[in-house]
Amino acid sequence: EIVLTQSPSTLSLSPGERATLSCRASQSVSTYLAWYQQRPGQSPRLLIYDASNRATGVPARFSGSGSGTDFTLTISSLEPEDFAIYFCHQRTNWPPSFTFGPGTTVDI
Amino acid sequence: QVQLVQSGAEVRKPGASVKLSCRTSGYPFTTTYLLWVRQAPGQGLEWMGIIHPGDGTATYAQKFLGRVTLTRDTSTTTAYMELNSLTSEDTALYYCARANPETNCEKSSCALAYWGQGTLVTVSS
């Protein structure tokens, strides 16, 4: 099973600052990686799919990059509503297998 | 608009089973994969299985093999997840989620673009 590791586990920043979140896979997942945001008490929300594509309605301040085993989610300038938990997610093989990273909390 | 509405909270005793529903609307039900994901209190996300509503083919995470069954009813555009032999470790929020319709799930990350509100399952004696 592919293991996803996210770092840091917590990122303490202020509004307006840049956030850089990392997701590393134990083996190559090509670009089959997605990023989600989860606010307290809410269901996850898709931000980025296939490593670098913004989902419909996601603000341009969110961007994704990477391939293979190393991926990055960047929030260019934090808004108050961006303080949340961010998970990465990969899919391999078909029939598929999916795993999620443990999450990075972005807080003030 | 696309909606996934899940059934209400459940309480079960250890050893029991639970069957959750996920009623969908706002899109062609049979065209896009549905996944089930759970989240234990204060924990991360865990994939349980995936089903194609068109033909009912399901694939399960190794951890849940033999204990989980995914089904669907195309007449009511509803998906179901049944989990057997419950233990306290199954206490969690269970989500259904629809794969991103903008990509072919089999040739992409199969990202989850739409999520239900979650169903809390509590297992306690």
Side-chain angles (χ1 to χ4, degrees):
Chain A
E1 178 183 284
I2 293 178
V3 176
L4 297 179
T5 304
Q6 291 188 243
S7 60
S9 56
T10 302
L11 195 54
S12 296
L13 295 168
S14 299
E17 290 192 299
R18 182 184 188 91
T20 303
L21 288 68
S22 173
C23 178
R24 178 164 291 178
S26 59
Q27 58 186 276
S28 177
V29 299
S30 182
T31 57
Y32 291 171
L33 189 111
W35 289 93
Y36 302 86
Q37 176 194 68
Q38 188 175 34
R39 297 178 180 135
Q42 295 187 13
S43 302
R45 170 197 180 197
L46 177 64
L47 298 175
I48 302 290
Y49 65 94
D50 297 351
S52 61
N53 297 284
R54 261 192 308 277
T56 302
V58 174
R61 64 180 181 273
F62 292 92
S63 63
S65 64
S67 65
T69 60
D70 291 297
F71 300 87
T72 300
L73 174 70
T74 301
I75 311 171
S76 59
S77 178
L78 284 164
E79 297 287 340
E81 62 268 27
D82 298 338
F83 292 93
I85 302 175
Y86 293 83
F87 296 99
C88 56
H89 163 220
Q90 67 81 28
R91 192 278 291 172
T92 53
N93 305 320
W94 202 271
S97 175
F98 298 83
T99 52
F100 290 89
T104 290
T105 300
V106 177
D107 66 13
I108 298 176
Chain B
Q1 73 279 23
V2 175
Q3 287 192 308
L4 283 71
V5 178
Q6 298 186 235
S7 48
E10 304 273 8
V11 179
R12 293 287 186 274
K13 294 189 183 303
S17 299
V18 70
K19 188 172 185 177
L20 309 182
S21 67
C22 173
R23 179 168 50 86
T24 73
S25 60
Y27 73 97
F29 178 68
T30 58
T31 59
T32 323
Y33 284 94
L34 285 169
L35 283 76
W36 288 83
V37 174
R38 76 178 187 180
Q39 187 170 36
Q43 302 300 310
L45 301 165
E46 183 174 35
W47 173 65
M48 300 181 69
I50 181 173
I51 185 169
H52 195 288
D55 61 9
T57 302
T59 299
Y60 305 108
Q62 185 72 26
K63 175 177 179 176
F64 298 101
L65 272 177
R67 211 161 65 88
V68 68
T69 304
L70 302 186
T71 57
R72 93 291 187 221
D73 182 340
T74 57
S75 66
T76 60
T77 65
T78 301
Y80 299 91
M81 189 282 295
E82 183 170 22
L83 187 62
N84 303 317
S85 304
L86 294 168
T87 73
S88 59
E89 295 187 354
D90 294 315
T91 294
L93 192 57
Y94 288 76
Y95 293 103
C96 60
R98 179 195 177 201
N100 186 1
E102 298 181 18
T103 62
N104 181 331
C105 202
E106 299 176 24
K107 299 179 181 179
S108 72
S109 55
C110 198
L112 306 179
Y114 301 92
W115 293 69
Q117 83 277 21
T119 296
L120 180 63
V121 175
T122 303
V123 183
S124 174
S125 55

